[in-house]
Amino acid sequence: MTEYGYFLSTEEHGPADLVEQARMAEQAGFTSLWISDHFHPWNSEQGQSPFVWSVIGALSQATSLPVRTAVTCPLIRMHPAVVAQAAATAAVQLEGRFRLGVGSGEALNEHILGGAWPQAAVRLEMLQEAVQVMRMLFEGDEVSHHGKHYTVENARLYTVPGEPVPIDVSAFGPTATELAGRIGDGFLTMAPDAEAVDRFRRSGGGTKPAHGGLKVCWGTDRDEAVRTAHRLWATEQLPGELAQVLPTPRHFEQASELVPEERVASAVTCGDDLDAHLAAIGAYAAAGFDTVYINQIGPDQRGFFDFYRSKVLPQLPD
């Protein structure tokens, strides 16, 4: 049966707010957490971007819920050996309740060190090698690796959990989805795409879990909720590869001027219509996802959690 988690947005909220949202999510009845990992927000209206590994340390002390990153890019900004150390420590802090979600990243976060931004095919090749490096390190043995993209010499993780950290792979297109099936312990994506789930399973994913992210904007005034969703997340409606190649929040703001409110209103569940929220979540269950992670857009987190605790979650299948 499908489970229901909460999606913590580091682009919109600072560390203390994220920890408080995690507490509220557990009290409301959500069963797990997914947390984004960014260096920049998508636009200046979102306005935050704390270092996710510090926040995860705080979450380990504030909640008993499992946590996953969705997603960390272990390619350029952080070497996979460093990501492996961070993930292993997080898994120890959370007593094994941690999964590392990885993906091929966006220029928005990864170009900051001044290097070239690789083409998509190269990034997927880098991701495959990075996952190989991290899996070796999670075993707790000394690792030396001299690959096409990464070098590791005499590296050993001394703080490791009892079992290797599961690595879930994010994908938004056929090639990346097939890679997720081959190398991932699970699949992550942001649409209720049944074909993608099927492709993941046929490519080697089998019965491994598929996890979907869903953004909503709860509010008693639907028009205001639409305006909030448009102001903060019009970026989600940009077409093609723009999300992967635009380098700064300023560029996303410029591109988002081409996204009308009507497009956001038709794509994002806004307002307090119970049936609309149930239908949006149900689409993921119908597509074969094992877990749906729901994110509330905007500042009214408490109202959202009250609504989901009292009305939405009780009506979802157990």
Side-chain angles (χ1 to χ4, degrees):
M1 300 298 291
T2 304
E3 296 186 4
Y4 309 99
Y6 188 68
F7 178 169
L8 297 165
S9 172
T10 61
E11 302 94 324
E12 278 192 62
H13 304 284
D17 288 339
L18 292 165
V19 171
E20 180 58 25
Q21 288 168 28
R23 291 192 184 101
M24 289 192 289
E26 185 167 19
Q27 292 165 2
F30 289 97
T31 60
S32 55
L33 301 168
W34 126 351
I35 185 167
S36 54
D37 180 359
H38 269 234
F39 189 88
H40 290 137
W42 297 99
N43 57 53
S44 57
E45 284 288 336
Q46 292 172 355
Q48 291 286 340
S49 204
F51 188 56
V52 72
W53 302 103
S54 300
V55 179
I56 290 170
L59 293 176
S60 74
Q61 302 302 301
T63 177
S64 64
L65 296 181
V67 178
R68 70 165 28 80
T69 57
V71 295
T72 295
C73 179
L75 305 190
I76 299 170
R77 172 170 53 105
M78 290 181 67
H79 190 283
V82 178
V83 174
Q85 184 185 29
T89 298
V92 170
Q93 288 175 307
L94 285 154
E95 299 179 332
R97 304 185 315 277
F98 178 75
R99 297 178 73 99
L100 175 64
V102 299
S104 59
E106 304 91 13
L108 175 71
N109 302 301
E110 303 305 312
H111 86 289
I112 59 169
L113 302 181
W117 179 237
Q119 293 182 344
V122 176
R123 299 199 308 273
L124 291 178
E125 186 179 82
M126 296 171 72
L127 181 62
Q128 184 167 356
E129 186 177 339
V131 168
Q132 178 188 359
V133 167
M134 292 188 293
R135 289 197 195 284
M136 289 190 293
L137 287 164
F138 288 152
E139 296 293 334
D141 299 323
E142 184 176 297
V143 173
S144 290
H145 169 86
H146 300 274
K148 181 175 180 180
H149 300 287
Y150 301 106
T151 297
V152 179
E153 291 189 352
N154 308 118
R156 178 184 173 189
L157 299 182
Y158 282 84
T159 300
V160 292
E163 298 291 333
V165 179
I167 302 176
D168 299 328
V169 177
S170 171
F172 296 97
T175 302
T177 300
E178 290 170 5
L179 178 66
R182 292 195 302 273
I183 71 171
D185 295 312
F187 173 55
L188 303 167
T189 196
M190 285 292 295
D193 187 339
E195 194 282 329
V197 173
D198 183 61
R199 184 182 294 272
F200 164 73
R201 301 205 184 286
R202 287 188 285 107
S203 300
T207 60
K208 295 174 182 177
H211 309 282
L214 168 65
K215 288 187 175 292
V216 304
C217 190
W218 176 87
T220 56
D221 183 331
R222 183 178 184 275
D223 290 340
E224 180 60 29
V226 169
R227 287 191 290 271
T228 297
H230 181 264
R231 175 173 60 85
L232 293 170
W233 287 97
T235 53
E236 292 252 306
Q237 306 309 315
L238 295 175
E241 296 182 62
L242 289 177
Q244 283 73 53
V245 301
L246 294 179
T248 70
R250 182 179 68 257
H251 290 99
F252 277 93
E253 290 161 13
Q254 293 167 359
S256 295
E257 292 177 6
L258 302 175
V259 178
E261 278 191 10
E262 293 77 13
R263 184 180 301 176
V264 172
S266 65
V268 180
T269 300
C270 295
D272 61 353
D273 185 309
L274 175 60
D275 290 338
H277 284 264
L278 292 172
I281 298 167
Y284 285 81
F289 284 85
D290 298 279
T291 312
V292 187
Y293 289 87
I294 302 136
N295 170 254
Q296 162 69 357
I297 295 171
D300 195 353
Q301 298 291 316
R302 190 165 299 280
F304 164 86
F305 283 118
D306 287 345
F307 179 68
Y308 268 66
R309 174 185 50 76
S310 62
K311 296 186 177 180
V312 178
L313 293 180
Q315 295 203 38
L316 294 171
D318 294 329

